Amino acid sequence: MSAEVVKVVMPPSPAPVVAIDGPSGSGKGTIAHRLAALLGFEVLDSGSLYRLLALAALHHGVSLDNEAALEVLAGHLDVQFLQNDDGEAVIILEGEDVTTEIRSEEMGRAASMVAALPAVRAALLQRQQAFREQPGLVADGRDMGTVVFTDACLKIFLTATAEARAERRYKQLLEKGFSASLPALIDDIRARDDRDINRAVAPLKPADDAIVLDSTRLGIEEVLARVMREVEQIPGLQRHIKS
Ligand code: DC
């Protein structure tokens, strides 16, 4: 009787994901990029997709509460995420460089409105998940740990007081050449928090297994050092740390 050889082919394990969620201005974008560079991972800035959709709606005359039309637009969003010769991110929407335009406060507000619509979130879900590639991904947003990458191997929820976040935003906007008013930014951040926290679908909240970091009194280097301490505890991430 000849013994039968059964070959078991194990499916490749999915690329590791670090989810960094938090409210507007908490520093998660900067931390996500710094961490991705230290690990050699790609970055998903999920907020940019909502900002791009809001801008596309503006271009096509679609109102920000027309859920059915926004769902179609989200499904057909013609976007390219590129890098220029200096390695900086360049975002092209329908053939036009909109890298700076989508960063305005107006577009942030509009993004928060379209992001409250369930059909829009569903239409953008797979597009976000498609960013998951080897060797790994750092995903920044509001629902990376709770909805989009529930199996992320590390979930960080980065927060800070509205005043501290508004002040950081104020400095960033001035540096980028936008004009800004600090009291208006505080009001705006509170309104945005309120909309992001209280929406019915994928509200802004820490995942049950997230590590919550309050950065109100911390500089970016200190936050990064704390995040790296967490990264070092995860075997699937340790081996990616570049010295
Ligand atoms: O991170 P950001 O400021 O670029 O995001 C803009 C808006 O998009 C934010 O107010 C809420 C929404 N957003 C979301 O609902 N879910 C995400 N994962 C990312 C952003």
Side-chain angles (χ1 to χ4, degrees):
M1 213 167 58
S2 65
E4 228 177 89
V5 178
V6 180
K7 237 184 171 179
V8 179
V9 181
M10 299 292 283
S13 36
V17 176
V18 179
I20 305 191
D21 287 305
S24 175
S26 57
K28 60 191 161 42
T30 308
I31 292 295
H33 279 91
R34 294 281 302 271
L35 179 59
L38 289 170
L39 295 172
F41 285 8
E42 288 301 317
V43 182
L44 164 62
D45 165 11
S46 61
S48 70
L49 288 172
Y50 292 96
R51 288 172 182 264
L52 285 159
L53 177 60
L55 184 58
L58 204 77
H59 287 171
H60 293 279
V62 171
S63 102
L64 298 179
D65 58 359
N66 185 343
E67 188 164 3
L70 287 165
E71 180 185 13
V72 174
L73 208 51
H76 294 90
L77 212 53
D78 172 14
V79 181
Q80 288 164 282
F81 292 91
L82 307 174
Q83 271 192 357
N84 65 16
D85 293 342
D86 298 327
E88 292 160 348
V90 176
I91 304 181
I92 309 289
L93 174 67
E94 295 166 351
E96 189 191 336
D97 182 345
V98 295
T99 317
T100 307
E101 195 177 356
I102 60 162
R103 295 291 152 209
S104 71
E105 285 308 289
E106 184 200 351
M107 226 35 80
R109 215 174 302 125
S112 168
M113 288 168 76
V114 299
L117 304 171
V120 163
R121 302 199 74 85
L124 290 179
L125 184 64
Q126 276 189 358
R127 196 182 271 257
Q128 294 173 79
Q129 288 169 336
F131 278 79
R132 185 177 198 161
E133 274 183 16
Q134 298 292 350
L137 179 71
V138 180
D140 135 26
R142 304 292 188 288
D143 61 342
M144 299 297 99
T146 53
V147 176
V148 183
F149 301 108
T150 50
D151 63 338
C153 56
L154 176 62
K155 299 179 186 179
I156 303 282
F157 190 87
L158 199 55
T159 188
T161 61
E163 289 76 9
R165 289 183 282 126
E167 229 164 275
R168 289 175 195 161
R169 202 74 174 166
Y170 181 69
K171 286 186 191 150
Q172 272 175 7
L173 285 169
L174 295 191
E175 275 167 23
K176 284 183 187 162
F178 291 109
S179 64
S181 133
L182 187 55
L185 278 173
I186 295 175
D187 286 350
D188 201 57
I189 273 201
R190 289 212 174 104
R192 193 115 74 86
D193 283 357
D194 191 53
R195 198 160 36 230
D196 293 347
I197 291 166
N198 293 310
R199 68 180 174 224
V201 186
L204 170 66
K205 63 167 186 190
D208 291 340
D209 50 351
I211 290 150
V212 178
L213 264 178
D214 185 333
S215 72
T216 305
R217 289 175 209 293
L218 300 177
I220 224 70
E221 299 302 331
E222 287 167 294
V223 176
L224 187 63
R226 288 195 191 195
V227 170
M228 285 311 287
R229 252 181 265 152
E230 301 300 335
V231 167
E232 283 158 12
Q233 311 293 316
I234 315 266
L237 294 177
Q238 265 171 8
R239 63 193 171 89
H240 293 283
I241 300 173
K242 309 220 178 299
S243 48

